[in-house]
Amino acid sequence: MRFSTRAIHAGQDPDPVTGSVTVPVYLTSTYQQPGPGKEGKYVYSRTANPTRTALEECLASLEAGRHGLAFSSGMAATTTILLSLKQGDHVIAGDDIYGGTYRLFEQVLRNYGLQFTYVNPENPDNVEKAIRKNTQLVWIETPTNPLMRIVDIRQISKISKKAHALLVVDNTFMSPYLQNPLEHGADIVVHSTTKYLGGHSDLIGGATITKDVDVQSRLKYLQNAVGAVPGPLDCYLVLRGIKTLAVRMDRHNENTRTVSEFLAKQPKVEKVNYPGLPDHPQRSIIKRQMKGNGGMLSFQLRGGFNQCKKLLERLSVFTVAESLGGVESLIEHPASMTHASVPRDRRLKLGISDNLIRVSVGIEDVEDLVQDLNRGFKAL
Ligand code: P1T
């Protein structure tokens, strides 16, 4: 079955008891057992819940994996993966990953004896050079948040495999509709389902997907041990969002192209970061691993923070907010919002400058989006 069909049906057969066409929300914490010492299919909802199972099966199918796990947030999924390491293990991570992921690695997990090296993975040699004997994990996002850099999943996977390290790809920005990292050699895909998968900015959730049964068993064990699980209602909402993922992503793709073209023409815009730029230097990688350019872009505005503030405060269709991937257009200033937890020196070195603005282009009428931006730019 093809993507859109799987999005609607994978893991979501009509309920065998009632015939309910949509997956029921199983609001239960525990399940009756056949007898002491005899376990039924479900025992306790921290371990498993039928609404969550439906979501996990659907996610596995959409990412071309075999096993999915749904989590209470993207960060809970990330934390659980990292908990599979032990003291002294080494992780190589992309240098402009989501600020919250960087904070978790640096401010929390370093205290537990994990080692982290950050490199620009746009050049795979940087990853190869950073490999150590104790490297267990390579962690990348592509496109990166917020600079929209493209990382060659296949090349990084070859390097990771040679080093016997697992490659984790955070696929939040693309969604499974536009990119399937497992097909390019990744070992684990992680998502913040808060974003495109949920799609309506009404929940917080996360997911991991893998083809490897041993990786799945380890993550499942850890998830149950630490309790990083979503409630059934949130699982239902993600499932409902996923049903329209394909049509939403098509519209995100179209709208974002139009917005990027508008921004590229503005004299006050220094640079646009968007995978769909006609002269993008990594076009061949984009063509190989992505099925569209997605709904995210960032740009640098001439004049620094005050100009950014002025523009953002003048907009009325775009909402100034963190997060991304919902039906509504969001705009934000990474230096003071999503990436404020990255120390200033490091931020500037990476290119997350004070005049960088990130946009999550929604699926409103694109004419209204362009008009809103136009009004904002005129006021600068
Ligand atoms: O917020 P949560 O569901 O825990 O997901 C964390 C996360 C993980 N990975 C990526 C690539 C992300 O962008 C995020 C969350 N990001 C934002 C809130 C943001 O505005 O960028």
Side-chain angles (χ1 to χ4, degrees), residues 72-76 78 98 101 141 145 170 172-173 191-195 204-206 321-324 332 338-339 358:
S72 50
S73 68
M75 292 317 302
T78 298
Y98 168 56
T101 306
E141 287 174 13
N145 179 4
D170 184 333
T172 298
F173 266 36
H191 278 283
S192 165
T193 57
T194 313
K195 318 298 189 223
I204 297 283
E322 300 200 7
S323 202
L324 57 117
E332 66 111 7
T338 49
H339 291 68
R358 191 190 74 181

PDB file of all heavy atoms in Angstrom, residues 72-76 78 98 101 141 145 170 172-173 191-195 204-206 321-324 332 338-339 358, ligand 1:
ATOM      1  N   SER A  72       6.017  10.488  25.322  1.00  0.00           N
ATOM      2  CA  SER A  72       5.273  11.645  25.827  1.00  0.00           C
ATOM      3  C   SER A  72       5.763  12.967  25.244  1.00  0.00           C
ATOM      4  O   SER A  72       5.070  13.984  25.351  1.00  0.00           O
ATOM      5  CB  SER A  72       5.386  11.692  27.352  1.00  0.00           C
ATOM      6  OG  SER A  72       6.742  11.566  27.732  1.00  0.00           O
ATOM      7  N   SER A  73       6.933  12.988  24.632  1.00  0.00           N
ATOM      8  CA  SER A  73       7.443  14.185  23.952  1.00  0.00           C
ATOM      9  C   SER A  73       8.619  13.773  23.079  1.00  0.00           C
ATOM     10  O   SER A  73       9.161  12.656  23.234  1.00  0.00           O
ATOM     11  CB  SER A  73       7.906  15.234  24.970  1.00  0.00           C
ATOM     12  OG  SER A  73       9.050  14.782  25.658  1.00  0.00           O
ATOM     13  N   GLY A  74       9.024  14.667  22.189  1.00  0.00           N
ATOM     14  CA  GLY A  74      10.235  14.406  21.405  1.00  0.00           C
ATOM     15  C   GLY A  74      11.429  14.243  22.329  1.00  0.00           C
ATOM     16  O   GLY A  74      12.266  13.356  22.148  1.00  0.00           O
ATOM     17  N   MET A  75      11.494  15.086  23.369  1.00  0.00           N
ATOM     18  CA  MET A  75      12.631  15.010  24.288  1.00  0.00           C
ATOM     19  C   MET A  75      12.625  13.703  25.078  1.00  0.00           C
ATOM     20  O   MET A  75      13.684  13.172  25.413  1.00  0.00           O
ATOM     21  CB  MET A  75      12.615  16.202  25.259  1.00  0.00           C
ATOM     22  CG  MET A  75      12.891  17.555  24.616  1.00  0.00           C
ATOM     23  SD  MET A  75      14.234  17.577  23.405  1.00  0.00           S
ATOM     24  CE  MET A  75      15.603  17.003  24.379  1.00  0.00           C
ATOM     25  N   ALA A  76      11.431  13.169  25.377  1.00  0.00           N
ATOM     26  CA  ALA A  76      11.352  11.878  26.092  1.00  0.00           C
ATOM     27  C   ALA A  76      11.893  10.764  25.195  1.00  0.00           C
ATOM     28  O   ALA A  76      12.592   9.849  25.669  1.00  0.00           O
ATOM     29  CB  ALA A  76       9.916  11.583  26.495  1.00  0.00           C
ATOM     30  N   THR A  78      14.152  11.183  22.782  1.00  0.00           N
ATOM     31  CA  THR A  78      15.599  11.409  22.719  1.00  0.00           C
ATOM     32  C   THR A  78      16.276  10.901  23.993  1.00  0.00           C
ATOM     33  O   THR A  78      17.281  10.189  23.937  1.00  0.00           O
ATOM     34  CB  THR A  78      15.868  12.924  22.532  1.00  0.00           C
ATOM     35  OG1 THR A  78      15.295  13.303  21.292  1.00  0.00           O
ATOM     36  CG2 THR A  78      17.352  13.246  22.532  1.00  0.00           C
ATOM     37  N   TYR A  98      18.520  20.939  17.437  1.00  0.00           N
ATOM     38  CA  TYR A  98      17.538  21.674  18.248  1.00  0.00           C
ATOM     39  C   TYR A  98      18.157  22.050  19.609  1.00  0.00           C
ATOM     40  O   TYR A  98      18.805  21.220  20.246  1.00  0.00           O
ATOM     41  CB  TYR A  98      16.287  20.803  18.420  1.00  0.00           C
ATOM     42  CG  TYR A  98      15.323  21.312  19.452  1.00  0.00           C
ATOM     43  CD1 TYR A  98      14.811  22.603  19.369  1.00  0.00           C
ATOM     44  CD2 TYR A  98      14.929  20.514  20.524  1.00  0.00           C
ATOM     45  CE1 TYR A  98      13.931  23.081  20.325  1.00  0.00           C
ATOM     46  CE2 TYR A  98      14.039  20.975  21.476  1.00  0.00           C
ATOM     47  CZ  TYR A  98      13.550  22.262  21.374  1.00  0.00           C
ATOM     48  OH  TYR A  98      12.690  22.734  22.324  1.00  0.00           O
ATOM     49  N   THR A 101      17.734  19.700  22.520  1.00  0.00           N
ATOM     50  CA  THR A 101      18.515  18.457  22.443  1.00  0.00           C
ATOM     51  C   THR A 101      19.941  18.744  22.922  1.00  0.00           C
ATOM     52  O   THR A 101      20.515  17.987  23.716  1.00  0.00           O
ATOM     53  CB  THR A 101      18.518  17.919  20.995  1.00  0.00           C
ATOM     54  OG1 THR A 101      17.163  17.807  20.557  1.00  0.00           O
ATOM     55  CG2 THR A 101      19.191  16.569  20.904  1.00  0.00           C
ATOM     56  N   GLU A 141      20.341  15.795  12.618  1.00  0.00           N
ATOM     57  CA  GLU A 141      19.068  16.283  12.085  1.00  0.00           C
ATOM     58  C   GLU A 141      19.334  16.657  10.640  1.00  0.00           C
ATOM     59  O   GLU A 141      20.407  17.160  10.332  1.00  0.00           O
ATOM     60  CB  GLU A 141      18.633  17.567  12.803  1.00  0.00           C
ATOM     61  CG  GLU A 141      18.150  17.380  14.198  1.00  0.00           C
ATOM     62  CD  GLU A 141      17.886  18.725  14.898  1.00  0.00           C
ATOM     63  OE1 GLU A 141      17.845  19.776  14.227  1.00  0.00           O
ATOM     64  OE2 GLU A 141      17.754  18.710  16.121  1.00  0.00           O
ATOM     65  N   ASN A 145      17.903  22.369  12.465  1.00  0.00           N
ATOM     66  CA  ASN A 145      17.046  23.361  13.122  1.00  0.00           C
ATOM     67  C   ASN A 145      17.943  24.375  13.819  1.00  0.00           C
ATOM     68  O   ASN A 145      18.627  24.013  14.774  1.00  0.00           O
ATOM     69  CB  ASN A 145      16.167  22.614  14.136  1.00  0.00           C
ATOM     70  CG  ASN A 145      15.233  23.515  14.917  1.00  0.00           C
ATOM     71  OD1 ASN A 145      15.165  24.718  14.677  1.00  0.00           O
ATOM     72  ND2 ASN A 145      14.503  22.943  15.864  1.00  0.00           N
ATOM     73  N   ASP A 170      17.015  12.588  13.517  1.00  0.00           N
ATOM     74  CA  ASP A 170      15.806  13.296  13.947  1.00  0.00           C
ATOM     75  C   ASP A 170      15.124  13.810  12.673  1.00  0.00           C
ATOM     76  O   ASP A 170      15.621  14.705  12.005  1.00  0.00           O
ATOM     77  CB  ASP A 170      16.201  14.442  14.890  1.00  0.00           C
ATOM     78  CG  ASP A 170      14.982  15.172  15.459  1.00  0.00           C
ATOM     79  OD1 ASP A 170      13.923  15.177  14.804  1.00  0.00           O
ATOM     80  OD2 ASP A 170      15.109  15.753  16.546  1.00  0.00           O
ATOM     81  N   THR A 172      12.099  15.130  12.365  1.00  0.00           N
ATOM     82  CA  THR A 172      10.963  15.990  12.701  1.00  0.00           C
ATOM     83  C   THR A 172      10.650  17.003  11.592  1.00  0.00           C
ATOM     84  O   THR A 172       9.485  17.224  11.246  1.00  0.00           O
ATOM     85  CB  THR A 172      11.268  16.748  14.020  1.00  0.00           C
ATOM     86  OG1 THR A 172      11.433  15.784  15.058  1.00  0.00           O
ATOM     87  CG2 THR A 172      10.150  17.699  14.389  1.00  0.00           C
ATOM     88  N   PHE A 173      11.670  17.636  11.030  1.00  0.00           N
ATOM     89  CA  PHE A 173      11.438  18.715  10.069  1.00  0.00           C
ATOM     90  C   PHE A 173      10.827  18.222   8.761  1.00  0.00           C
ATOM     91  O   PHE A 173      10.125  18.965   8.083  1.00  0.00           O
ATOM     92  CB  PHE A 173      12.760  19.450   9.769  1.00  0.00           C
ATOM     93  CG  PHE A 173      12.985  20.675  10.617  1.00  0.00           C
ATOM     94  CD1 PHE A 173      12.581  20.699  11.940  1.00  0.00           C
ATOM     95  CD2 PHE A 173      13.588  21.811  10.091  1.00  0.00           C
ATOM     96  CE1 PHE A 173      12.782  21.817  12.734  1.00  0.00           C
ATOM     97  CE2 PHE A 173      13.786  22.940  10.870  1.00  0.00           C
ATOM     98  CZ  PHE A 173      13.384  22.947  12.188  1.00  0.00           C
ATOM     99  N   HIS A 191      11.229  11.326  16.209  1.00  0.00           N
ATOM    100  CA  HIS A 191      10.336  12.427  15.839  1.00  0.00           C
ATOM    101  C   HIS A 191       9.845  13.153  17.078  1.00  0.00           C
ATOM    102  O   HIS A 191       9.590  12.520  18.110  1.00  0.00           O
ATOM    103  CB  HIS A 191       9.068  11.910  15.136  1.00  0.00           C
ATOM    104  CG  HIS A 191       9.253  11.623  13.692  1.00  0.00           C
ATOM    105  ND1 HIS A 191       9.293  12.613  12.736  1.00  0.00           N
ATOM    106  CD2 HIS A 191       9.415  10.445  13.033  1.00  0.00           C
ATOM    107  CE1 HIS A 191       9.456  12.071  11.548  1.00  0.00           C
ATOM    108  NE2 HIS A 191       9.550  10.756  11.691  1.00  0.00           N
ATOM    109  N   SER A 192       9.668  14.457  16.923  1.00  0.00           N
ATOM    110  CA  SER A 192       8.775  15.165  17.821  1.00  0.00           C
ATOM    111  C   SER A 192       7.428  15.110  17.094  1.00  0.00           C
ATOM    112  O   SER A 192       7.223  15.804  16.091  1.00  0.00           O
ATOM    113  CB  SER A 192       9.238  16.607  18.015  1.00  0.00           C
ATOM    114  OG  SER A 192       8.186  17.350  18.598  1.00  0.00           O
ATOM    115  N   THR A 193       6.501  14.279  17.574  1.00  0.00           N
ATOM    116  CA  THR A 193       5.193  14.168  16.902  1.00  0.00           C
ATOM    117  C   THR A 193       4.332  15.400  17.186  1.00  0.00           C
ATOM    118  O   THR A 193       3.255  15.568  16.618  1.00  0.00           O
ATOM    119  CB  THR A 193       4.428  12.894  17.345  1.00  0.00           C
ATOM    120  OG1 THR A 193       4.287  12.915  18.769  1.00  0.00           O
ATOM    121  CG2 THR A 193       5.165  11.638  16.946  1.00  0.00           C
ATOM    122  N   THR A 194       4.837  16.243  18.080  1.00  0.00           N
ATOM    123  CA  THR A 194       4.235  17.554  18.356  1.00  0.00           C
ATOM    124  C   THR A 194       4.079  18.362  17.061  1.00  0.00           C
ATOM    125  O   THR A 194       3.188  19.220  16.966  1.00  0.00           O
ATOM    126  CB  THR A 194       5.200  18.342  19.288  1.00  0.00           C
ATOM    127  OG1 THR A 194       5.632  17.498  20.356  1.00  0.00           O
ATOM    128  CG2 THR A 194       4.571  19.597  19.820  1.00  0.00           C
ATOM    129  N   LYS A 195       4.946  18.078  16.078  1.00  0.00           N
ATOM    130  CA  LYS A 195       5.064  18.931  14.893  1.00  0.00           C
ATOM    131  C   LYS A 195       4.174  18.413  13.752  1.00  0.00           C
ATOM    132  O   LYS A 195       2.977  18.332  13.913  1.00  0.00           O
ATOM    133  CB  LYS A 195       6.529  19.034  14.494  1.00  0.00           C
ATOM    134  CG  LYS A 195       7.490  19.210  15.662  1.00  0.00           C
ATOM    135  CD  LYS A 195       7.238  20.493  16.426  1.00  0.00           C
ATOM    136  CE  LYS A 195       8.336  20.729  17.425  1.00  0.00           C
ATOM    137  NZ  LYS A 195       7.961  21.178  18.712  1.00  0.00           N
ATOM    138  N   ILE A 204       1.716  17.400  22.705  1.00  0.00           N
ATOM    139  CA  ILE A 204       3.162  17.179  22.780  1.00  0.00           C
ATOM    140  C   ILE A 204       3.371  15.674  22.710  1.00  0.00           C
ATOM    141  O   ILE A 204       2.705  14.918  23.440  1.00  0.00           O
ATOM    142  CB  ILE A 204       3.735  17.719  24.117  1.00  0.00           C
ATOM    143  CG1 ILE A 204       3.548  19.238  24.239  1.00  0.00           C
ATOM    144  CG2 ILE A 204       5.208  17.340  24.284  1.00  0.00           C
ATOM    145  CD1 ILE A 204       4.472  20.104  23.449  1.00  0.00           C
ATOM    146  N   GLY A 205       4.257  15.233  21.814  1.00  0.00           N
ATOM    147  CA  GLY A 205       4.510  13.797  21.695  1.00  0.00           C
ATOM    148  C   GLY A 205       5.812  13.529  20.980  1.00  0.00           C
ATOM    149  O   GLY A 205       6.414  14.418  20.377  1.00  0.00           O
ATOM    150  N   GLY A 206       6.260  12.276  21.054  1.00  0.00           N
ATOM    151  CA  GLY A 206       7.501  11.888  20.391  1.00  0.00           C
ATOM    152  C   GLY A 206       7.414  10.459  19.903  1.00  0.00           C
ATOM    153  O   GLY A 206       6.446   9.748  20.216  1.00  0.00           O
ATOM    154  N   ALA A 321       5.655  32.473  17.786  1.00  0.00           N
ATOM    155  CA  ALA A 321       5.618  31.348  18.731  1.00  0.00           C
ATOM    156  C   ALA A 321       6.711  30.348  18.406  1.00  0.00           C
ATOM    157  O   ALA A 321       7.123  30.220  17.256  1.00  0.00           O
ATOM    158  CB  ALA A 321       4.256  30.641  18.663  1.00  0.00           C
ATOM    159  N   GLU A 322       7.146  29.620  19.431  1.00  0.00           N
ATOM    160  CA  GLU A 322       8.036  28.477  19.227  1.00  0.00           C
ATOM    161  C   GLU A 322       7.212  27.354  18.609  1.00  0.00           C
ATOM    162  O   GLU A 322       5.999  27.459  18.494  1.00  0.00           O
ATOM    163  CB  GLU A 322       8.623  28.013  20.562  1.00  0.00           C
ATOM    164  CG  GLU A 322       9.428  29.100  21.237  1.00  0.00           C
ATOM    165  CD  GLU A 322      10.402  28.587  22.278  1.00  0.00           C
ATOM    166  OE1 GLU A 322      10.561  27.368  22.399  1.00  0.00           O
ATOM    167  OE2 GLU A 322      11.014  29.427  22.947  1.00  0.00           O
ATOM    168  N   SER A 323       7.884  26.288  18.246  1.00  0.00           N
ATOM    169  CA  SER A 323       7.291  25.106  17.631  1.00  0.00           C
ATOM    170  C   SER A 323       7.094  25.302  16.125  1.00  0.00           C
ATOM    171  O   SER A 323       7.440  26.359  15.566  1.00  0.00           O
ATOM    172  CB  SER A 323       5.991  24.678  18.305  1.00  0.00           C
ATOM    173  OG  SER A 323       5.750  23.310  18.019  1.00  0.00           O
ATOM    174  N   LEU A 324       6.574  24.287  15.506  1.00  0.00           N
ATOM    175  CA  LEU A 324       6.493  24.236  14.050  1.00  0.00           C
ATOM    176  C   LEU A 324       5.598  23.079  13.639  1.00  0.00           C
ATOM    177  O   LEU A 324       5.181  22.276  14.468  1.00  0.00           O
ATOM    178  CB  LEU A 324       7.905  24.008  13.458  1.00  0.00           C
ATOM    179  CG  LEU A 324       8.623  22.741  13.956  1.00  0.00           C
ATOM    180  CD1 LEU A 324       8.872  21.773  12.812  1.00  0.00           C
ATOM    181  CD2 LEU A 324       9.956  23.119  14.591  1.00  0.00           C
ATOM    182  N   GLU A 332       9.494  32.873  14.468  1.00  0.00           N
ATOM    183  CA  GLU A 332      10.197  33.031  15.742  1.00  0.00           C
ATOM    184  C   GLU A 332      11.622  33.491  15.527  1.00  0.00           C
ATOM    185  O   GLU A 332      12.149  33.439  14.412  1.00  0.00           O
ATOM    186  CB  GLU A 332      10.147  31.715  16.533  1.00  0.00           C
ATOM    187  CG  GLU A 332      10.916  30.576  15.890  1.00  0.00           C
ATOM    188  CD  GLU A 332      12.157  30.166  16.673  1.00  0.00           C
ATOM    189  OE1 GLU A 332      12.364  30.660  17.778  1.00  0.00           O
ATOM    190  OE2 GLU A 332      12.933  29.359  16.125  1.00  0.00           O
ATOM    191  N   THR A 338      13.794  29.615  20.571  1.00  0.00           N
ATOM    192  CA  THR A 338      14.078  28.164  20.569  1.00  0.00           C
ATOM    193  C   THR A 338      15.529  27.810  20.890  1.00  0.00           C
ATOM    194  O   THR A 338      15.804  26.711  21.347  1.00  0.00           O
ATOM    195  CB  THR A 338      13.770  27.545  19.191  1.00  0.00           C
ATOM    196  OG1 THR A 338      14.380  28.351  18.184  1.00  0.00           O
ATOM    197  CG2 THR A 338      12.298  27.418  18.967  1.00  0.00           C
ATOM    198  N   HIS A 339      16.468  28.709  20.575  1.00  0.00           N
ATOM    199  CA  HIS A 339      17.875  28.369  20.767  1.00  0.00           C
ATOM    200  C   HIS A 339      18.534  29.246  21.833  1.00  0.00           C
ATOM    201  O   HIS A 339      19.757  29.379  21.860  1.00  0.00           O
ATOM    202  CB  HIS A 339      18.616  28.407  19.422  1.00  0.00           C
ATOM    203  CG  HIS A 339      18.184  27.292  18.510  1.00  0.00           C
ATOM    204  ND1 HIS A 339      16.924  27.242  17.951  1.00  0.00           N
ATOM    205  CD2 HIS A 339      18.812  26.157  18.121  1.00  0.00           C
ATOM    206  CE1 HIS A 339      16.808  26.136  17.242  1.00  0.00           C
ATOM    207  NE2 HIS A 339      17.932  25.460  17.317  1.00  0.00           N
ATOM    208  N   ARG A 358      13.183  32.296  12.019  1.00  0.00           N
ATOM    209  CA  ARG A 358      12.749  30.990  11.507  1.00  0.00           C
ATOM    210  C   ARG A 358      11.241  30.996  11.276  1.00  0.00           C
ATOM    211  O   ARG A 358      10.487  31.545  12.099  1.00  0.00           O
ATOM    212  CB  ARG A 358      13.120  29.897  12.510  1.00  0.00           C
ATOM    213  CG  ARG A 358      12.953  28.491  11.954  1.00  0.00           C
ATOM    214  CD  ARG A 358      13.092  27.451  13.014  1.00  0.00           C
ATOM    215  NE  ARG A 358      11.924  27.404  13.882  1.00  0.00           N
ATOM    216  CZ  ARG A 358      11.785  26.579  14.912  1.00  0.00           C
ATOM    217  NH1 ARG A 358      12.744  25.747  15.240  1.00  0.00           N
ATOM    218  NH2 ARG A 358      10.682  26.591  15.645  1.00  0.00           N
TER     219      ARG A 358
HETATM  220  O1  P1T B   1       9.061  19.571  22.039  1.00  0.00           O
HETATM  221  P1  P1T B   1       9.257  18.090  21.914  1.00  0.00           P
HETATM  222  O2  P1T B   1       8.075  17.341  21.397  1.00  0.00           O
HETATM  223  O3  P1T B   1       9.829  17.487  23.157  1.00  0.00           O
HETATM  224  O4  P1T B   1      10.357  17.862  20.741  1.00  0.00           O
HETATM  225  C1  P1T B   1      11.690  18.289  20.840  1.00  0.00           C
HETATM  226  C2  P1T B   1      12.272  18.479  19.463  1.00  0.00           C
HETATM  227  C3  P1T B   1      13.052  17.462  18.927  1.00  0.00           C
HETATM  228  N1  P1T B   1      13.608  17.578  17.703  1.00  0.00           N
HETATM  229  C4  P1T B   1      13.414  18.682  16.949  1.00  0.00           C
HETATM  230  C5  P1T B   1      14.035  18.766  15.600  1.00  0.00           C
HETATM  231  C6  P1T B   1      12.626  19.737  17.425  1.00  0.00           C
HETATM  232  O5  P1T B   1      12.442  20.798  16.645  1.00  0.00           O
HETATM  233  C7  P1T B   1      12.043  19.631  18.725  1.00  0.00           C
HETATM  234  C8  P1T B   1      11.219  20.725  19.316  1.00  0.00           C
HETATM  235  N2  P1T B   1      11.370  21.923  18.669  1.00  0.00           N
HETATM  236  C9  P1T B   1      10.773  23.120  18.987  1.00  0.00           C
HETATM  237  C10 P1T B   1       9.921  23.273  20.000  1.00  0.00           C
HETATM  238  C11 P1T B   1      11.123  24.236  18.103  1.00  0.00           C
HETATM  239  O6  P1T B   1      10.418  25.275  18.115  1.00  0.00           O
HETATM  240  O7  P1T B   1      12.093  24.094  17.344  1.00  0.00           O
END
